[in-house]
Amino acid sequence: MSNFQFAIPTIDYIRILPEIVLAVFGIVVMMADALIPQNNSKKPLGYLSLIGVLVSLGAIACQARYPGMYDVNNGTGFWGMVHVDSFSLFFHVLIALITAAVLLVSFEYMDVQRMRSGEYYAIILFSALGMMLMTSATELVLIFIALEISSIGSYVLAAMRRRVAESAESSLKYFLLGSFATAFFLYGVALIFGATGSTNVYTIAAALQNMHPLQPIIYLAVALMFIGLGFKVAAAPFHVWTPDVYEGAPSPIVALMSTGPKAAAFAVLLRVLFAMNAPGWFWIVWVSAALSMTIGNIGALVQSNVKRLLAYSSIAHAGYMLVAFAAAKDAGISAAIFYTATYAAMNVGAFAVVSHFANTGEKYVTLEDYAGLGRRSPLLAAILTVFLLSLIGIPVTGGFFAKFYVFTSALQSHLVWLTIIGVINSAVGAYYYLRIIVYMYMRDEREEVPVARMPFGLALALAMCLMFTIYLGVLPTQFINYALKSAQDLVR
């Protein structure tokens, strides 16, 4: 405590510059909302929010180029509460890109659904703020606060289709179960503070290293924190909320909540398990990975609603990512980072197509509605096909290398049975993704389902996702090298 200083150096503010930018733009969007008549389109607020995200990307670039940013000591700020390094910068960029894509998709969606809620855009910015803070926070209490900022925004956004009962139901279910999960995480933090006297990840790691033998309460704390974070990433057996919430929430928001908070929660999980050197997590992660892959894929097999199908699919993909967690440190962490980025690109793209095709009131979301889409809208069907093939793990798409690196790292760690379970589940998963493609190209439509012209914002978002998905499938080396460097920064 003798070194504690109340004066905050300017450099500390640079450590959280992207978050500051998002907070400022979020407040400005809320104030500007009052100036637009209630019945007018809120699209200008969407453009303003998009500018905020682009400025935050510029702030991330400033962080990355700041002298001494990658030095361990110089990378910390606010008395060691945040740590900016390759790991956090990677997730900052990923979350910013996800947010930008979701905003682009939302422009059309809000008009088609006749939603005039200006706060929609501001809450997306505040949620992104919470996600970014989660990835750079090294203080468990700050992680909890950031988690709440992100989660509360998600609860509100899930209920944005106010005239739809399923939307309110999904939000309430998400809020109640999410609150329980957060309580588990906080209880775990309290226990680990009681055992080590600190809530700083690196101080806890040093305390655990000198503790012989480890107190049993440490294992309980790690298990409780895993429950809290397992809920956020929709890993089994904490996944039950996912299908109902995804079905009721607006499609662009599902694209956000299935990738952004999931990426941020995985970043926290990586920091808690590896940077903190948490003990006793291996079998918890092993079992959760096996359950997530199996339950997710089997659940998706019997779905006829595309949003519910993709919800179960997201549970299965959480399982694949956990396989990487159970593997060796550097290779496993870099594989998990690579998988997170690839999954974000293909899943946001898939939900963007679903969002566009669903039309007013999200009427067209069943497999039958997709029948004949290949003839009625060849471009839209082709784009969705690429994302689905990537979700399967077909070569020349990012999904192939994502699964390849995950299973390779698992085999290098002698996780043979977990790899076998993963490969079998990948084969099972291929069935329901191909089922959608079969409906689009080989089934005749029962009724005429209108397909609107693709607007510029949606086209730009799909182009971003498509380019990223193909790029990671063709030239993954540079990206995997950066992921490996991020992993080394995390555990050094």
Side-chain angles (χ1 to χ4, degrees):
M1 295 294 290
S2 58
N3 294 327
F4 192 86
Q5 297 177 353
F6 285 100
I8 300 173
T10 307
I11 180 65
D12 283 18
Y13 291 105
I14 295 176
R15 311 289 187 220
I16 58 166
L17 193 56
E19 289 89 339
I20 292 174
V21 168
L22 289 177
V24 169
F25 270 88
I27 293 167
V28 170
V29 168
M30 290 196 75
M31 294 174 70
D33 183 29
L35 304 176
I36 299 177
Q38 189 61 36
N39 293 327
N40 285 18
S41 170
K42 304 290 182 175
K43 199 177 281 186
L45 299 178
Y47 293 132
L48 187 58
S49 303
L50 186 61
I51 291 170
V53 175
L54 295 177
V55 175
S56 78
L57 271 171
I60 297 166
C62 289
Q63 281 186 327
R65 295 177 65 84
Y66 200 82
M69 181 55 70
Y70 297 112
D71 181 80
V72 173
N73 294 322
N74 288 340
T76 60
F78 294 94
W79 308 283
M81 294 176 74
V82 294
H83 190 185
V84 179
D85 52 13
S86 302
F87 178 78
S88 62
L89 287 174
F90 171 85
F91 279 99
H92 274 52
V93 172
L94 180 62
I95 290 165
L97 291 176
I98 291 170
T99 308
V102 169
L103 287 171
L104 288 168
V105 176
S106 297
F107 294 162
E108 179 216 13
Y109 181 86
M110 296 290 281
D111 284 347
V112 170
Q113 306 299 330
R114 299 185 181 87
M115 291 165 63
R116 304 282 187 264
S117 307
E119 67 271 21
Y120 172 90
Y121 295 108
I123 296 172
I124 288 178
L125 293 183
F126 290 134
S127 292
L129 183 164
M131 294 173 215
M132 285 190 184
L133 200 54
M134 283 168 69
T135 63
S136 57
T138 53
E139 177 74 29
L140 292 176
V141 175
L142 183 61
I143 289 174
F144 165 73
I145 293 170
L147 189 64
E148 281 301 278
I149 293 172
S150 165
S151 299
I152 290 170
S154 299
Y155 303 149
V156 177
L157 290 169
M160 273 294 168
R161 295 165 66 206
R162 294 172 185 164
R163 298 182 186 86
V164 180
E166 287 86 356
S167 187
E169 181 191 343
S170 74
S171 177
L172 186 61
K173 200 173 284 184
Y174 194 23
F175 169 69
L176 291 174
L177 294 175
S179 301
F180 277 115
T182 306
F184 276 111
F185 179 80
L186 194 57
Y187 195 24
V189 172
L191 289 181
I192 210 154
F193 175 73
T196 64
S198 176
T199 51
N200 183 280
V201 167
Y202 297 107
T203 308
I204 293 169
L208 293 178
Q209 200 170 9
N210 297 322
M211 190 184 291
H212 301 289
L214 286 172
Q215 296 177 22
I217 202 171
I218 296 288
Y219 295 101
L220 180 60
V222 172
L224 289 172
M225 285 195 283
F226 182 81
I227 291 172
L229 295 172
F231 174 88
K232 298 299 176 188
V233 301
F238 320 110
H239 65 284
V240 289
W241 59 276
T242 316
D244 291 343
V245 173
Y246 280 26
E247 185 180 9
S251 292
I253 297 308
V254 180
L256 177 69
M257 69 169 63
S258 65
T259 53
K262 189 172 274 196
F266 269 120
V268 172
L269 201 54
L270 285 167
R271 204 179 281 284
V272 167
L273 295 185
F274 297 109
M276 199 175 82
N277 272 329
W281 55 266
F282 175 77
W283 285 109
I284 298 174
V285 170
W286 197 103
V287 171
S288 182
L291 284 176
S292 300
M293 290 186 290
T294 308
I295 293 173
N297 282 310
I298 292 175
L301 284 177
V302 296
Q303 301 303 318
S304 58
N305 182 302
V306 175
K307 286 177 78 177
R308 289 185 72 87
L309 186 152
L310 291 175
Y312 277 104
S313 152
S314 81
I315 298 166
H317 283 278
Y320 299 133
M321 289 183 227
L322 287 176
V323 171
F325 277 68
K329 272 191 175 179
D330 284 0
I333 296 170
S334 59
I337 291 171
F338 186 89
Y339 203 110
T340 306
T342 309
Y343 178 73
M346 52 197 184
N347 208 49
V348 169
F351 270 109
V353 175
V354 171
S355 167
H356 176 66
F357 186 63
N359 217 316
T360 308
E362 296 202 2
K363 287 182 290 190
Y364 306 114
V365 289
T366 66
L367 281 173
E368 290 291 342
D369 296 326
Y370 281 75
L373 184 64
R375 287 185 293 278
R376 284 176 287 131
S377 181
L379 180 61
L380 199 63
I383 292 171
L384 181 57
T385 301
V386 173
F387 294 132
L388 294 173
L389 292 177
S390 186
L391 285 164
I392 293 172
I394 299 296
V396 198
T397 62
F400 170 75
F401 280 110
K403 285 187 179 174
F404 175 77
Y405 288 131
V406 164
F407 293 141
T408 302
S409 62
L411 284 175
Q412 286 172 350
S413 301
H414 310 291
L415 302 175
V416 178
W417 279 109
L418 196 55
T419 307
I420 292 172
I421 294 171
V423 171
I424 292 172
N425 271 289
S426 291
V428 173
Y431 172 79
Y432 57 80
Y433 291 126
L434 289 174
R435 199 168 156 219
I436 301 175
I437 297 174
V438 167
Y439 266 88
M440 286 194 297
Y441 289 102
M442 301 178 189
R443 295 285 179 90
D444 295 325
E445 61 270 31
R446 291 182 182 176
E447 59 173 319
E448 185 66 28
V449 178
V451 184
R453 189 177 177 186
M454 196 182 299
F456 178 74
L458 177 72
L460 190 57
L462 287 175
M464 281 172 54
C465 296
L466 203 57
M467 188 177 64
F468 208 51
T469 302
I470 300 296
Y471 171 74
L472 292 176
V474 177
L475 298 169
T477 309
Q478 190 176 4
F479 201 85
I480 195 69
N481 286 340
Y482 187 85
L484 194 57
K485 184 181 183 315
S486 302
Q488 289 165 348
D489 276 4
L490 180 71
V491 298
R492 69 180 175 179

